[in-house]
Amino acid sequence: MRPRHMLRLCFSMLTLTLLFWLRVLIAQDRLSPAAQNSSLRGYSRISPHRKTTFLDVHCSHCAVVSSSGQMLGAGAGDEIDRTGCVIRMNNAPTRGYEKDVGKRTTMRVVSHTSVPLLVENEQYYFKQSANTTYVFWGPKRNMRQDGEGIIFNVLLKLAVKYRKSNMYVVTESKIKYCDSVFQNETGKNRMKTGAFLSTGFFTMILAMEMCDRITVYGMIDDKYCSRANHSDVPYHYYEQKRLSECRMYKYHESTQRGGHRFITEKAIYAKWATQHNIQFKHPTWKL
């Protein structure tokens, strides 16, 4: 065989080899979507066997349903249920409110302070709603996994009892990441200002990581409570005899210790909506 032909043959074989391995790598990417989205490694499954597994979910369109009294009379239930993934917060119920908030729940983002409320009705949340994925967040002292985390211990017992449940915890590194996001957006250190991030903040972070498009229902903007003609609605649609939403927001915004900066967070979401595919309904935001 002539040297020129030999060179062409070697080149062809090398090209075929490279194409083969390229196809292998592409196939591996398709089979492992979680590896493509490293941000979801901030959510670790609560496993009785202590096996490390990270959240692996992707939705083209998500409905984030607020617990606000704004949802009363919204009539958005059917629209919400038609959305690919429905994300709710804490223990917000659907039964009795289906017309306004829908009945499907794909995922719940739950604060450590709301875990006892879920335990009160554990048969519903962890057995009847076995298809729901739960993401729990909380400070290290409550969520540590060395046997000293009070809330994590409760969740671990539930994971043992309800083997089919899908329960994840926001990792310590992810909590720190969310703190850094808040500081980058506001210029203020969350801990030094005596504030706690809200469940809504963790929910919006997660939604942007797992959803291509987000529709947020029942969330007011940062200027809403300062408008003279704003509606007076309960803080939670399912606790109608409690404090009004705006009174709660104003209290938390100004308290020196232990408050959520709800109004500041809403200003951050407005900024994110200009950078991501996010829209707000009931009420509609003018971005």
Side-chain angles (χ1 to χ4, degrees), residues 205-220:
I205 290 283
L206 175 58
M208 289 190 295
E209 293 169 342
M210 60 174 270
C211 312
D212 295 330
R213 180 161 64 99
I214 304 167
T215 303
V216 184
Y217 293 85
M219 188 178 288
I220 60 174

Side-chain angles (χ1 to χ4, degrees), residues 59-101:
C59 298
S60 59
H61 184 196
C62 294
V64 173
V65 186
S66 166
S67 302
S68 166
Q70 299 288 339
M71 294 305 297
L72 293 171
D78 289 341
E79 180 180 331
I80 290 170
D81 285 337
R82 288 195 298 269
T83 310
C85 293
V86 180
I87 307 174
R88 302 185 193 276
M89 287 169 259
N90 295 321
N91 63 315
T94 58
R95 188 176 300 167
Y97 302 95
E98 294 90 343
K99 184 177 179 180
D100 291 328
V101 305

Side-chain angles (χ1 to χ4, degrees), residues 66-71 218-220 224-225 230-236 242-252 262-263 266 283:
S66 166
S67 302
S68 166
Q70 299 288 339
M71 294 305 297
M219 188 178 288
I220 60 174
Y224 184 89
C225 293
H230 72 265
S231 299
D232 187 23
V233 301
Y235 176 55
H236 288 150
R242 300 291 182 90
L243 285 174
S244 73
E245 181 173 57
C246 282
R247 284 183 65 187
M248 183 70 80
Y249 275 30
K250 290 176 180 178
Y251 168 79
H252 275 268
F262 291 121
I263 296 175
K266 301 302 184 290

Side-chain angles (χ1 to χ4, degrees), residues 99-156:
K99 184 177 179 180
D100 291 328
V101 305
K103 57 185 178 182
R104 289 181 53 240
T105 305
T106 310
M107 181 173 292
R108 277 188 188 272
V109 181
V110 182
S111 163
H112 61 113
T113 59
S114 292
V115 170
L117 299 176
L118 269 61
V119 172
E120 287 179 4
N121 197 5
E122 63 178 72
Q123 282 280 326
Y124 171 77
Y125 286 108
F126 302 108
K127 187 174 182 179
Q128 295 179 39
S129 300
N131 293 330
T132 298
T133 297
Y134 293 86
V135 175
F136 298 93
W137 72 271
K140 182 179 178 180
R141 66 179 182 275
N142 288 339
M143 307 301 283
R144 56 192 299 174
Q145 301 180 26
D146 58 358
E148 299 297 323
I150 297 175
I151 297 300
F152 183 82
N153 291 344
V154 171
L155 297 174
L156 187 58

